[in-house]
Amino acid sequence: MTEKAPSPSHASLSPERESGKTEPSPSGRGLGEGLSCWILTNGMAGFETQALGVCEALGLTPEIKRVAPPAPFRWLAPHGPAAPDAAITPPWPDLLIASGRQSIPYARMIRRKSGGKTFTVVLQDPRVAPSNFDLVWAPAHDRLEGANVLTTLLSPHRLTAERLRDEAARIEPDVAHLPHPRIAVLLGGSNAVYTFSEATAARIAAQLAGLSDHFHAGLMVTPSRRTGEAQSRIIRDHLAGRPAVMWDGTGANPYFGYLGQADAVVVTCDSVNMVGEAIFTGKPVYVIELDGGSPKFRRFLDGVYAYGAARPFVGRLESWEYKPLNATHEIAEAIRRAMKAR
């Protein structure tokens, strides 16, 4: 039986050192020709990916700036001053998108030295007053509030409907033999708050085998670097002889292709980004809850369950519908409106 999910309930907006270029998405909604944009992070992929996704949704070509302040500046961030950096000099950009604790002193400095002409956006909780910036985005589970704070249930990313279609077509020959329903299985691993043990891997493997045996599902499994060799081997051995493919870590990761080919998604709970990308597809999402957790992760998971996009994975398949969420475009639209109004 098909169920309808409730409407979204997002809070809305009130009133390695190098630089490089990236190309905007051709489907992005632009802010105008010639608008300059910087992305400023400490180089961590997660921070950059979120900022790039927002820039691409705006139709902008950002210049990437990465900072690595020396001691004592890095110890004092985000509250202390910005360390001198030869790459962070005028002319200041029209738009700055900063993310990560080490970027915050530079974002404050640029806003001040530009005389407020640089529209300054921070992704994630800056750990200082949001009033230091023009706009701050934070995930709803952070519980950050402010007149210029936008919160969404999910996080921004670079995934688009076009990319899903393209990646699905690219891997079609590799999965053409798999029956429907096809299930994408996205495996994370142990992190600061969750543990992915070999016993957990054995439990997951048995449940996935059950999807094949009892629901005649085809499985497309992609582990991450954090999954662990032993855990991956346990799952691979369980699926041997069943209609399943599992990425072996060589060549390009078929992660997005699997999402595009899937009728449903099974994903471990340890990555907010992986769960969010699965929900972006609009397909039923089953979350594997690992041992451990934190209050923030609990609030996030309970939020996506309450919205109706995801359910805990208990080894069976169901069918339901929900309105897909796109935090990337929500954030981009908030920036566009605020910059045009100013």
Side-chain angles (χ1 to χ4, degrees):
M1 181 175 179
T2 299
E3 304 170 24
K4 275 298 216 183
S7 300
S9 56
H10 301 309
S12 59
L13 175 67
S14 346
E16 15 145 69
R17 299 167 57 74
E18 58 182 312
S19 64
K21 295 283 188 178
T22 64
E23 292 302 318
S25 164
S27 61
R29 296 186 63 179
L31 281 167
E33 293 297 326
L35 196 73
S36 59
C37 176
W38 288 3
I39 287 175
L40 180 62
T41 73
N42 66 352
M44 287 185 63
F47 293 146
E48 283 192 7
T49 295
Q50 291 184 350
L52 283 167
V54 172
C55 285
E56 289 164 357
L58 288 167
L60 297 177
T61 302
E63 185 173 355
I64 296 174
K65 303 282 188 177
R66 299 180 180 127
V67 294
F73 295 95
R74 69 171 179 269
W75 303 334
L76 298 173
H79 303 283
D85 191 307
I88 311 300
T89 57
W92 306 118
D94 298 305
L95 172 64
L96 172 70
I97 300 180
S99 187
R101 183 168 60 93
Q102 298 300 336
S103 74
I104 299 305
Y106 296 94
R108 293 203 318 267
M109 178 194 73
I110 291 170
R111 188 169 186 246
R112 183 180 69 254
K113 289 192 173 183
S114 72
K117 292 180 180 178
T118 295
F119 191 89
T120 307
V121 177
V122 170
L123 303 182
Q124 304 289 343
D125 185 349
R127 305 294 180 181
V128 298
S131 57
N132 284 286
F133 314 100
D134 293 296
L135 176 66
V136 174
W137 167 82
H141 56 266
D142 274 359
R143 294 180 170 176
L144 183 66
E145 297 181 349
N148 64 330
V149 174
L150 171 69
T151 63
T152 60
L153 181 60
L154 303 183
S155 300
H157 51 72
R158 300 184 73 184
L159 190 55
T160 64
E162 293 83 3
R163 184 172 187 184
L164 279 179
R165 287 195 296 268
D166 290 346
E167 292 293 319
R170 184 179 66 81
I171 69 158
E172 170 62 29
D174 301 325
V175 300
H177 66 288
L178 296 179
H180 288 275
R182 290 177 181 167
I183 312 301
V185 183
L186 316 180
L187 300 176
S190 298
N191 61 16
V193 297
Y194 284 110
T195 301
F196 194 152
S197 66
E198 292 182 34
T200 299
R203 171 176 60 83
I204 293 170
Q207 289 177 318
L208 294 177
L211 294 184
S212 173
D213 297 343
H214 302 301
F215 295 92
H216 309 293
L219 304 174
M220 305 172 291
V221 185
T222 175
S224 73
R225 289 187 297 272
R226 291 185 293 107
T227 303
E229 291 184 10
Q231 289 86 336
S232 294
R233 184 174 61 254
I234 289 168
I235 293 171
R236 183 176 286 106
D237 289 348
H238 263 76
L239 299 183
R242 293 182 167 90
V245 294
M246 184 168 177
W247 184 50
D248 63 4
T250 62
N253 191 334
Y255 175 99
F256 290 131
Y258 288 175
L259 283 179
Q261 286 280 350
D263 298 301
V265 184
V266 173
V267 56
T268 54
C269 68
D270 52 290
S271 169
V272 169
N273 287 339
M274 282 203 311
V275 174
E277 287 170 343
I279 291 173
F280 171 80
T281 67
K283 301 168 183 179
V285 174
Y286 302 87
V287 178
I288 299 170
E289 296 225 13
L290 303 176
D291 294 332
S294 70
K296 282 188 179 183
F297 268 98
R298 187 73 266 156
R299 289 195 295 269
F300 169 70
L301 294 173
D302 288 347
V304 298
Y305 295 157
Y307 177 71
R311 298 176 182 178
F313 180 55
V314 292
R316 65 172 182 264
L317 296 179
E318 300 167 308
S319 178
W320 70 93
E321 294 180 359
Y322 60 94
K323 182 179 179 181
L325 300 175
N326 192 337
T328 310
H329 278 253
E330 287 189 54
I331 298 164
E333 282 298 292
I335 294 170
R336 187 182 64 81
R337 288 195 303 268
M339 290 189 72
K340 282 183 176 290
R342 191 176 74 166

